Amino acid sequence: LALMLALLAPTHAFATSHVLIVLNQDSQPKYFLNDPKQRGLCGDIYAELKSRLANKGITLSIQSTYTPIKRIMQKLKTGSAQAYCGAGRNAEREKKYYFSNVPLYSVSNVLIARSYKKTGPTSFEEMESSQSKMGTYFGTSTDRFLKNRGNINIVKSFYTLNKAFTALDQKKIDYFYYHDLALNYYLRNSTQKLRVLPTKFRTYNHWMIYSKSMHKHARDLMDKELTDMVQSGLIEQFHRKYRVK
């Protein structure tokens, strides 16, 4: 009897007290902290997951502060956090982390420029040939993707969007390259004279990304709920709330 109880104990402990730490990036409209009116796209996904997983013996611990993207990836790698919503996918990340079974939503990479620029490069080849001064968001999959092109004149990778747009306003860079979800939101809420250009350079998915140290059963439970949220159209409803056209 004692042996049977010992064998059952880990399962019981998991079912009643397993805690998963999930992280927030200072990237709007994916995340809003301390805002009573909105949580952000990924904030809404976290809140829905927290409610659903509570009935399955999992407590989702949503951190109350922003974490820089490079530190998010490091925390997932070391296992000091378990999941992060809104990650781009590439071969290097696939070696270090697990990704959700289904993508959560899609975004497109675009350029933001000073408002008097009505046109800009419309292809990666034009970016390369023009040698325009480009800015990127440090540590993101978008940053790595553009750097891997090799011949694009990336002047600086910025740690925050505010610093990037200040540099753009001050003509230290010609364009800033990032995804439209963030750039369109920023433009709508900014007094700076900037413009999002119409060319979509690539469209790709954002995923839930997991630490490889995360308990497989917990990951399977989260994935099951995420798949249902995608297939039911719930995440698309969240996406529409924050998408600016």
Side-chain angles (χ1 to χ4, degrees):
L1 179 61
L3 179 60
M4 290 177 64
L5 289 173
L7 291 171
L8 289 172
T11 303
H12 178 71
F14 173 83
T16 57
S17 61
H18 203 70
V19 177
L20 301 178
I21 296 173
V22 296
L23 301 171
N24 308 296
Q25 181 190 4
D26 188 5
S27 179
Q28 292 72 45
K30 283 166 58 177
Y31 297 97
F32 293 98
L33 296 182
N34 305 314
D35 188 331
K37 296 181 180 179
Q38 55 188 353
R39 289 182 290 246
L41 172 53
C42 282
D44 284 345
I45 291 172
Y46 281 164
E48 179 68 17
L49 278 174
K50 183 180 179 74
S51 175
R52 291 179 177 222
L53 293 174
N55 297 325
K56 296 175 171 57
I58 294 178
T59 299
L60 208 66
S61 177
I62 305 169
Q63 299 300 280
S64 59
T65 57
Y66 291 125
T67 303
I69 187 64
K70 291 286 280 188
R71 198 177 305 161
I72 286 173
M73 294 303 172
Q74 184 62 24
K75 283 177 173 287
L76 294 177
K77 185 178 178 181
T78 61
S80 57
Q82 283 67 56
Y84 162 68
C85 166
R89 189 168 188 165
N90 56 44
E92 182 177 341
R93 285 183 175 179
E94 287 177 349
K95 296 175 185 176
K96 300 176 182 178
Y97 316 102
Y98 292 122
F99 286 79
S100 50
N101 285 334
V102 293
L104 305 181
Y105 57 89
S106 65
V107 294
S108 297
N109 282 150
V110 294
L111 294 173
I112 191 167
R114 292 180 289 279
S115 59
Y116 62 79
K117 283 183 176 280
K118 293 184 171 55
T119 61
T122 58
S123 67
F124 293 115
E125 291 73 22
E126 285 186 16
M127 277 193 203
E128 293 168 353
S129 63
S130 70
Q131 283 296 289
S132 299
K133 294 179 289 184
M134 294 287 171
T136 60
Y137 199 155
F138 181 78
T140 62
S141 62
T142 297
D143 176 52
R144 183 169 296 277
F145 177 85
L146 205 62
K147 285 177 177 176
N148 284 343
R149 297 286 306 185
N151 296 318
I152 294 172
N153 183 24
I154 299 173
V155 174
K156 187 173 180 179
S157 296
F158 295 88
Y159 286 85
T160 70
L161 293 181
N162 283 336
K163 288 182 179 179
F165 300 137
T166 297
L168 188 60
D169 201 40
Q170 294 174 350
K171 300 184 180 181
K172 293 178 180 178
I173 57 175
D174 297 314
Y175 305 100
F176 183 75
Y177 178 86
Y178 197 44
H179 62 71
D180 54 355
L181 179 66
L183 296 184
N184 284 324
Y185 173 80
Y186 181 88
L187 188 63
R188 184 180 68 177
N189 293 277
S190 173
T191 57
Q192 290 174 294
K193 295 180 179 180
L194 302 175
R195 175 195 302 272
V196 174
L197 300 180
T199 298
K200 294 182 178 181
F201 290 87
R202 68 177 184 127
T203 297
Y204 62 102
N205 294 315
H206 274 179
W207 307 71
M208 186 72 74
I209 192 170
Y210 305 115
S211 170
K212 285 204 169 182
S213 67
M214 183 176 169
H215 196 296
K216 183 179 183 303
H217 183 56
R219 192 173 78 245
D220 289 345
L221 287 174
M222 187 180 287
D223 253 349
K224 182 177 182 297
E225 296 304 329
L226 284 172
T227 299
D228 179 72
M229 289 163 65
V230 169
Q231 292 179 347
S232 69
L234 181 59
I235 291 182
E236 173 58 22
Q237 289 179 36
F238 294 158
H239 194 194
R240 283 199 299 268
K241 283 169 58 178
Y242 302 102
R243 193 163 59 220
V244 180
K245 295 182 179 180

